[in-house]
Amino acid sequence: MLVSDSKPEERRAPRARISDVAQALGLTKATVSRALNGYPDISESTRARVRHKAAELGYSPLSHAQAIRTGRARSLGIVLQVGDQDGQRPFVADFLAGLSSAASAENWTLTVATATTEEDMLATMGRLIDERKADGFVLPRTKVADERIRMLRRLSIPFVLFGRTGDPESCAYFDILGEDAMALAVRHLHGLGHRRIGYIGGGDGFYYSAVRSAGYRAGIEAVDLPFDPAIVGGGAYTVDAGMREADRLLAADEPPTAILCATDMCALGVCRRASALGLRVGGDLSVIGYDGVPEGAWSTPPLATFEVDSRVAGLHLANLLIRRIRGENPADLRETAHARFLDRGSAARPMMSSAELREHVARATGR
């Protein structure tokens, strides 16, 4: 008789079922299911008891069974417009990490797609909806009039904005108060002694551009400085555009001794152009940006800017979207936060008056 050295296979313990959790707690299966899926009609204490007991028993729902039963994929969607120069690069890695982390904590997944144009983005979102690959969407870089919002409203698909929009009806959002940052920057520069404070706005049509411009105006009014359109530019969200707008503002009859920019890339362009004109940034000309891009820390001098914690923003947005998908009122899902000011070397007391600055620029350009 042959004797085998191999041990008989151990039988796998039977998988814990939702009925096991319900029986252990003396609750109905429906209550346990709603607790595990985060429905708002279940109290937080009951949700905690159910989750604890489920973990203790080793119960985890089968994703495909849940999808059949609830009609949900338990997936959050986001489509990034990779051809958008004003788009995602400064924050995308940390932002996606935050979204993914918060989704995973709720046993949800994150579906990420890319598009090259606005038309392509709408088509991609439509495909994800048709294929049931996303239950709702995070919409970054919102516009004053946003076609993505119109489409999702029409299809009754839940969404949450990273930003705000011109018509907030039915919109849940998380946003950083860029208007407060710009007003604070004006007060900071005024406190340093600047009386000619210029401004260069961001991408046309984006809501952040509108609110940051409004914040600049509010800041100017708050320190009793006159608004002068000759030292206000816009549509600049790249280094090249920042250089172009810097030339225009510095050619004014009374040029600014400080320039506030809606984006860091624009601010870095202003710094580059100032240096080319022989101006010392952080002395002859002060510059402040917004975004906290890594390049700003390595510029000479380091760029004063407002830093946004993109990972935390992703965490907030994922949680808000899951709550929205579960049926909560979007008007109750609106949160804001402030950017952190990094007071670095590009903003300092003015070493030149506006008149001296004009003369220097005229000599440097041969005007």
Side-chain angles (χ1 to χ4, degrees):
M1 182 176 66
L2 295 175
V3 178
S4 173
D5 289 333
S6 62
K7 295 179 180 179
E9 288 188 11
E10 294 182 2
R11 283 195 170 186
R12 182 178 296 177
R15 180 186 179 87
R17 299 169 299 174
I18 195 169
S19 57
D20 298 323
V21 180
Q23 184 177 1
L25 293 170
L27 299 173
T28 66
K29 288 198 299 182
T31 298
V32 170
S33 176
R34 295 180 75 80
L36 291 172
N37 284 287
Y39 282 88
D41 60 334
I42 304 298
S43 70
E44 188 57 44
S45 61
T46 299
R47 272 200 293 271
R49 285 176 57 218
V50 169
R51 287 175 179 170
H52 177 76
K53 182 57 69 174
E56 183 181 287
L57 296 176
Y59 169 75
S60 59
L62 292 171
S63 59
H64 66 274
Q66 276 202 325
I68 293 170
R69 185 172 63 254
T70 65
R72 292 179 185 161
R74 292 181 69 85
S75 179
L76 310 181
I78 183 169
V79 182
L80 302 174
Q81 188 169 333
V82 294
D84 177 11
Q85 294 183 58
D86 189 37
Q88 326 303 332
R89 189 181 60 81
F91 71 96
V92 66
D94 287 343
F95 183 61
L96 292 179
L99 285 172
S100 180
S101 176
S104 295
E106 292 283 341
N107 293 316
W108 287 57
T109 59
L110 178 66
T111 298
V112 182
T114 59
T116 54
T117 64
E118 183 173 324
E119 182 180 18
D120 186 25
M121 176 175 289
L122 295 174
T124 300
M125 289 172 64
R127 186 172 65 254
L128 293 176
I129 294 167
D130 290 342
E131 296 175 358
R132 297 189 178 182
K133 290 182 177 177
D135 299 306
F137 290 87
V138 175
L139 306 183
R141 264 329 195 232
T142 52
K143 295 185 176 181
V144 176
D146 202 306
E147 290 298 326
R148 298 171 300 174
I149 295 173
R150 291 188 183 130
M151 183 182 85
L152 295 176
R153 279 174 175 160
R154 187 177 69 252
L155 297 174
S156 298
I157 300 296
F159 61 89
V160 62
L161 313 178
F162 186 16
R164 286 162 282 169
T165 190
D167 176 12
E169 180 66 26
S170 77
C171 291
Y173 60 74
F174 176 79
D175 196 16
I176 309 299
L177 296 172
E179 60 268 46
D180 289 359
M182 295 297 104
L184 172 62
V186 171
R187 293 196 300 272
H188 180 73
L189 291 167
H190 185 267
L192 290 172
H194 294 276
R195 297 299 179 264
R196 295 289 289 169
I197 302 172
Y199 176 76
I200 303 175
D204 295 334
F206 289 98
Y207 196 81
Y208 81 84
S209 294
V211 297
R212 291 178 202 175
S213 294
Y216 165 75
R217 291 288 295 266
I220 289 293
E221 291 175 8
V223 296
D224 293 323
L225 292 178
F227 176 77
D228 184 355
I231 57 171
V232 175
Y237 47 82
T238 65
V239 170
D240 287 346
M243 295 175 66
R244 181 195 68 226
E245 291 299 300
D247 271 334
R248 193 167 73 78
L249 269 59
L250 293 173
D253 290 338
E254 295 181 67
T257 58
I259 298 177
L260 175 58
C261 301
T263 69
D264 277 352
M265 301 312 291
C266 171
L268 291 171
V270 172
C271 293
R272 182 179 296 181
R273 187 59 184 144
S275 296
L277 292 170
L279 295 170
R280 186 167 62 88
V281 174
D284 303 327
L285 180 71
S286 284
V287 182
I288 296 179
Y290 185 106
D291 277 329
V293 301
E295 294 92 329
W298 297 102
S299 64
T300 305
L303 180 66
T305 186
F306 288 86
E307 181 182 58
V308 175
D309 192 328
S310 299
R311 190 178 191 281
V312 168
L315 290 169
H316 279 277
L317 286 159
N319 286 323
L320 289 172
L321 181 53
I322 290 171
R323 291 168 61 188
R324 179 73 190 98
I325 292 168
R326 287 170 173 165
E328 291 193 41
N329 189 330
D332 298 328
L333 302 175
R334 295 174 178 175
E335 299 178 4
T336 58
H338 287 93
R340 183 166 69 101
F341 182 47
L342 302 180
D343 187 5
R344 300 194 290 210
S346 66
R349 294 186 177 278
M351 302 301 291
M352 282 187 180
S353 67
S354 178
E356 291 170 332
L357 190 60
R358 183 188 64 237
E359 291 176 6
H360 178 99
V361 171
R363 287 195 301 271
T365 58
R367 290 175 183 148

